[in-house]
Amino acid sequence: MQVPALVTAGPIPRRRCLLALAAVFLALNATAQAEDQALDAGMAFEGVVEIAHAFDITPAADNKILRLNFIEGQLVDKGDLLVEFDPRFISLDADYAAAAENKAKAQLSLARDKLERLERLKENNTISVADYLTAVHDMQVAEADLELARITRRRAEILLEDQKLYAPFSGQMSSPKANEGADVEVGEDSAIGTIYRLDPINVRFDFPVAMLISRMQSGAIDREILKKLRIELQLPDGSIYEHTGRALSARPYINEATQMGTIIAQFPNPNYILRPGLRVTLRRAAE
């Protein structure tokens, strides 16, 4: 932008000169901001749709898969039954834990009765202090055994409930990673399948870091810049996606060769139009 020279017929008062220079500075700054904003709105960036959230379907205990209720790519709703395990052995464990709890209750009752008898004898000084303290200890042990039995029973009940696994949210399934009849063990590689959340969904795209830095140098905070950045998508057929998105985060490093950073934006996707791997074009949405 060229700035016209100040032509005068004579000396200019100092105050008038300062006001004129201030006006020129403001004009330059406003023009630079307008050009910068126009650059933002006019530039297009290539991006790729990717999953925002995924969840592995895993067993809570070693067991055998009885039935799989999903196939690769199947759309499921929250609460849909995905996996059923053979419940027989876990059911026996639950029965055993319940019986152990009943036994612990009986032993505690016996220890309390004994302590009550000894307390009456203690009042008459007909038993030794050692015998009395032993009875107190036995009752405390019986109380602890009952508490352990209750915890074991509750754990067994939870494992029994987990013999059927349900979708934690609506989404799309991966291919099964195990077959019906397979024995599965709890561990790092025990996932039977993965459910991918499709709404909302993310788009990753490269962004000129210089544009972000220029705003930060003017006093803006990067997270506030990203928070205010509204983005629109152009689909591969040239149509504009009906929902605008918002920038979530920027990677902490940049590409040394291209001087581009990466921004992750998130978009509503209620109709599952956006799918992972889809290439799209992004622009800054009009304010």
Side-chain angles (χ1 to χ4, degrees):
M1 173 184 178
Q2 294 184 347
V3 181
L6 296 176
V7 181
T8 64
I12 302 175
R14 186 169 182 272
R15 186 169 183 274
R16 286 180 58 194
C17 183
L18 292 175
L19 290 174
L21 289 174
V24 171
F25 173 79
L26 291 174
L28 283 170
N29 189 52
T31 302
Q33 289 181 355
E35 290 174 352
D36 191 38
Q37 290 174 358
L39 183 65
D40 279 0
M43 293 187 69
F45 306 96
E46 298 301 315
V48 179
V49 178
E50 61 181 31
I51 290 298
H53 180 61
F55 186 88
D56 285 338
I57 307 300
T58 58
D62 299 348
N63 212 329
K64 181 188 293 291
I65 297 176
L66 186 65
R67 188 173 295 106
L68 293 175
N69 297 304
F70 69 92
I71 59 174
E72 182 179 4
Q74 181 176 338
L75 296 174
V76 297
D77 293 324
K78 180 179 179 180
D80 283 353
L81 179 60
L82 301 178
V83 182
E84 297 175 72
F85 295 104
D86 185 345
R88 291 176 297 173
F89 292 105
I90 300 297
S91 179
L92 288 175
D93 288 343
D95 291 342
Y96 180 87
E101 182 183 3
N102 289 333
K103 180 180 178 181
K105 288 179 180 178
Q107 290 175 333
L108 176 59
S109 178
L110 182 63
R112 282 175 175 168
D113 290 344
K114 180 179 178 180
L115 181 59
E116 289 176 359
R117 290 195 303 272
L118 293 181
E119 283 178 341
R120 289 193 294 269
L121 294 174
K122 180 174 175 291
E123 293 175 357
N124 299 325
N125 296 320
T126 56
I127 63 166
S128 67
V129 174
D131 288 341
Y132 176 76
L133 293 178
T134 298
V136 171
H137 174 265
D138 290 343
M139 191 192 73
Q140 292 173 339
V141 170
E143 289 176 336
D145 287 342
L146 177 58
E147 184 62 24
L148 289 174
R150 285 172 174 165
I151 293 172
T152 302
R153 175 187 59 79
R154 182 57 187 147
R155 181 178 183 275
E157 290 175 348
I158 292 173
L159 290 178
L160 187 58
E161 294 172 357
D162 287 341
Q163 297 313 291
K164 292 183 178 182
L165 302 181
Y166 301 87
F169 49 77
S170 298
Q172 189 171 27
M173 296 302 302
S174 71
S175 60
K177 301 176 183 179
N179 299 319
E180 291 183 352
D183 291 322
V184 292
E185 298 180 354
V186 176
E188 293 183 2
D189 299 323
S190 61
I192 301 169
T194 301
I195 180 172
Y196 302 106
R197 189 192 297 274
L198 298 179
D199 180 28
I201 202 162
N202 290 349
V203 178
R204 184 184 298 269
F205 66 98
D206 291 335
F207 189 83
V209 175
M211 296 175 65
L212 185 62
I213 292 176
S214 66
R215 284 161 177 72
M216 295 174 67
Q217 287 178 330
S218 66
I221 302 175
D222 56 353
R223 62 175 176 269
E224 293 299 325
I225 297 171
L226 294 176
K227 183 178 179 181
K228 295 176 181 179
L229 185 60
R230 303 298 299 180
I231 306 168
E232 69 176 19
L233 284 182
Q234 181 178 330
L235 299 174
D237 64 358
S239 63
I240 301 299
Y241 184 57
E242 61 179 323
H243 301 287
T244 59
R246 61 187 180 91
L248 290 183
S249 63
R251 278 186 176 180
Y253 55 88
I254 64 174
N255 186 304
E256 183 178 354
T258 64
Q259 291 299 292
M260 300 284 279
T262 300
I263 287 181
I264 298 174
Q266 190 168 92
F267 291 79
N269 192 32
N271 297 322
Y272 295 169
I273 292 175
L274 302 179
R275 296 298 180 95
L278 183 70
R279 291 191 174 275
V280 293
T281 303
L282 302 96
R283 294 184 180 84
R284 182 171 180 174
E287 298 295 340

